[in-house]
Amino acid sequence: MTKPAIIHEDQDSFFYNLRFMLIVCVLAGNALEPIITRFAGAEALFLWIYTFHMPLFVWVTGYFARHTLKGASGRNVLIQIALQYLLFQSLYAIMDFTVFHTPHMRLSFFAPYLLLWFLASHFCWRLLLRLTLSWKPLYRLLVAVMLGVCAGYLPMDGFWLSFSRTFVFLPFFVIGYDYGASIRSRLRSGWGRRIAATLSAALLGWIGLGAFNISPGWLLGSMTYAELGHHEWFAGIYRLGIYALEIGSGALFLAWVPSLTSRLTDLGRRTLYVFLLHGFLVRLAVWSGVYNYIETSLYIPVIVSIALLFAITLAHPAVRHAFRPLIEPDISRVHFNRQGGLKRPASWFR
């Protein structure tokens, strides 16, 4: 009776550990982006991160969606995501207008502000899965891949409501939801894990040598094929190739992730706060002009270390206590059960 519970706990610990490592990659990638055109090392690290971090982040999100997708809890999560999007889209716009004095600034809820595309896409991923719960997992995955490939052909701006990213990364959400647990159970240990970790590091070295000749736009997933300069009828094949690269790089990176419950696991439970708040810090850093003083690639490890420090700080329980009313508001007042009683809200990051 106790063995399944132990396995489930270890499995969730692995995903929490992975989630915090990925949010550190998100911070590091965003912090490195202002200097990738100046230093080859920063560009290599940036591209390496983008070969796996967002597909895996979506995969992890799909895995945890298993707990809060259906019924009233699923509806509450959708409401919370919508509120988070509306609130932080407004806050970032206000910051641009009042602090950074961004020219021609106007608030639009149809063009997600930087990292907020993930909220818009997450909302859509959950809706799409709720609509296809009666399907067999394999059919759901095949349709998701087909949509991800076909989205690049549409003659529209891929940034609009995160349309392109929603469909490009949809297969990873489906894989996380339907196959996340089984994939985790099949991960190797011992020599297999060491080899995978070595190959992951080798991929970084290969990119650093300049052998990676792929536009970052393919990894961002936010652009159509035409926007990427490919008007060929077979451009969708390139998307399948990118999927193969992301799956391979992501699988190799998993070798770095510990399985045991630890301090890392605890930090992984509060990555929502890191995700939503770190954009303010990155924007302030760029606005302050601190990047103008970075004149050598020796600062790259410093930037990554600061990103790690910010992630640990923003995942601290004190930050959650201070910002929880803003980030995870109690929506029980607007929801009632069939007996007329109030419902408790469900957090999409448990």
Side-chain angles (χ1 to χ4, degrees), residues 260-281:
L260 298 178
T261 303
S262 64
R263 168 65 173 161
L264 188 66
T265 311
D266 185 54
L267 292 171
R269 297 177 186 274
R270 293 183 294 274
T271 52
L272 173 61
Y273 292 80
V274 185
F275 172 74
L276 288 176
L277 297 175
H278 85 274
F280 293 105
L281 300 178

Side-chain angles (χ1 to χ4, degrees), residues 128-146:
L128 290 171
L129 245 68
R130 286 170 67 100
L131 293 173
T132 59
L133 282 177
S134 61
W135 296 13
K136 292 183 178 180
L138 179 59
Y139 295 161
R140 186 157 49 231
L141 176 58
L142 291 175
V143 171
V145 172
M146 181 182 68

Side-chain angles (χ1 to χ4, degrees), residues 213-226:
N213 190 23
I214 296 178
S215 169
W218 283 102
L219 302 176
L220 296 175
S222 58
M223 303 170 69
T224 63
Y225 302 140

Side-chain angles (χ1 to χ4, degrees), residues 10-334:
D10 288 343
Q11 183 166 276
D12 277 4
S13 295
F14 171 85
F15 282 98
Y16 282 125
N17 294 340
L18 172 60
R19 194 163 69 183
F20 184 74
M21 294 173 68
L22 292 174
I23 201 65
V24 172
C25 289
V26 170
L27 263 74
N30 290 338
L32 289 170
E33 189 170 4
I35 62 171
I36 60 175
T37 58
R38 295 160 52 191
F39 304 109
E43 183 183 21
L45 183 56
F46 177 85
L47 290 174
W48 178 70
I49 288 173
Y50 270 80
T51 61
F52 65 82
H53 88 305
M54 197 47 63
L56 283 181
F57 208 98
V58 177
W59 180 62
V60 171
T61 304
Y63 170 80
F64 282 113
R66 301 177 312 142
H67 305 292
T68 57
L69 184 72
K70 307 173 185 177
S73 62
R75 290 192 295 271
N76 284 347
V77 171
L78 288 174
I79 293 173
Q80 277 202 342
I81 295 173
L83 290 176
Q84 290 161 359
Y85 177 77
L86 295 175
L87 175 62
F88 278 87
Q89 184 80 350
S90 302
L91 289 177
Y92 276 111
I94 291 172
M95 184 179 68
D96 264 2
F97 181 77
T98 59
V99 178
F100 305 129
H101 305 291
T102 304
H104 310 296
M105 177 63 203
R106 64 177 182 178
L107 175 62
S108 172
F109 293 107
F110 297 100
Y113 188 97
L114 299 177
L115 53 89
L116 296 183
W117 71 265
F118 192 89
L119 292 180
S121 292
H122 186 195
F123 185 91
C124 295
W125 294 329
R126 282 178 166 268
L127 279 181
L128 290 171
L129 245 68
R130 286 170 67 100
L131 293 173
T132 59
L133 282 177
S134 61
W135 296 13
K136 292 183 178 180
L138 179 59
Y139 295 161
R140 186 157 49 231
L141 176 58
L142 291 175
V143 171
V145 172
M146 181 182 68
L147 290 174
V149 172
C150 292
Y153 289 106
L154 296 180
M156 61 182 297
D157 188 345
F159 285 95
W160 188 80
L161 267 181
S162 188
F163 175 86
S164 179
R165 281 168 164 156
T166 295
F167 290 108
V168 167
F169 291 113
L170 176 62
F172 297 101
F173 191 82
V174 172
I175 293 172
Y177 182 84
D178 288 321
Y179 303 103
S182 60
I183 291 174
R184 167 66 187 96
S185 66
R186 287 174 170 80
L187 293 179
R188 294 182 176 274
S189 58
W191 281 106
R193 184 170 183 172
R194 296 188 188 96
I195 292 173
T198 302
L199 290 175
S200 179
L203 176 60
L204 172 59
W206 182 65
I207 295 174
L209 292 174
F212 191 78
N213 190 23
I214 296 178
S215 169
W218 283 102
L219 302 176
L220 296 175
S222 58
M223 303 170 69
T224 63
Y225 302 140
E227 290 172 321
L228 289 167
H230 289 275
H231 301 272
E232 307 92 345
W233 65 267
F234 55 84
I237 297 177
Y238 300 141
R239 173 60 63 197
L240 293 176
I242 295 298
Y243 279 154
L245 169 66
E246 291 170 333
I247 291 173
S249 181
L252 295 177
F253 181 79
L254 293 180
W256 296 99
V257 183
S259 300
L260 298 178
T261 303
S262 64
R263 168 65 173 161
L264 188 66
T265 311
D266 185 54
L267 292 171
R269 297 177 186 274
R270 293 183 294 274
T271 52
L272 173 61
Y273 292 80
V274 185
F275 172 74
L276 288 176
L277 297 175
H278 85 274
F280 293 105
L281 300 178
V282 174
R283 289 287 284 127
L284 286 171
V286 174
W287 173 73
S288 69
V290 66
Y291 283 96
N292 296 330
Y293 297 96
I294 298 177
E295 300 177 348
T296 172
S297 59
L298 295 177
Y299 282 99
I300 294 175
V302 177
I303 293 174
V304 174
S305 299
I306 293 175
L308 173 61
L309 179 62
F310 279 166
I312 294 174
T313 302
L314 294 177
H316 194 277
V319 175
R320 183 182 189 184
H321 179 75
F323 289 95
R324 187 167 190 173
L326 185 69
I327 293 178
E328 295 181 284
D330 187 346
I331 60 173
S332 60
R333 298 178 182 178
V334 296

Side-chain angles (χ1 to χ4, degrees), residues 1-11:
M1 295 295 292
T2 59
K3 187 175 181 179
I6 294 174
I7 294 175
H8 178 72
E9 180 180 352
D10 288 343
Q11 183 166 276

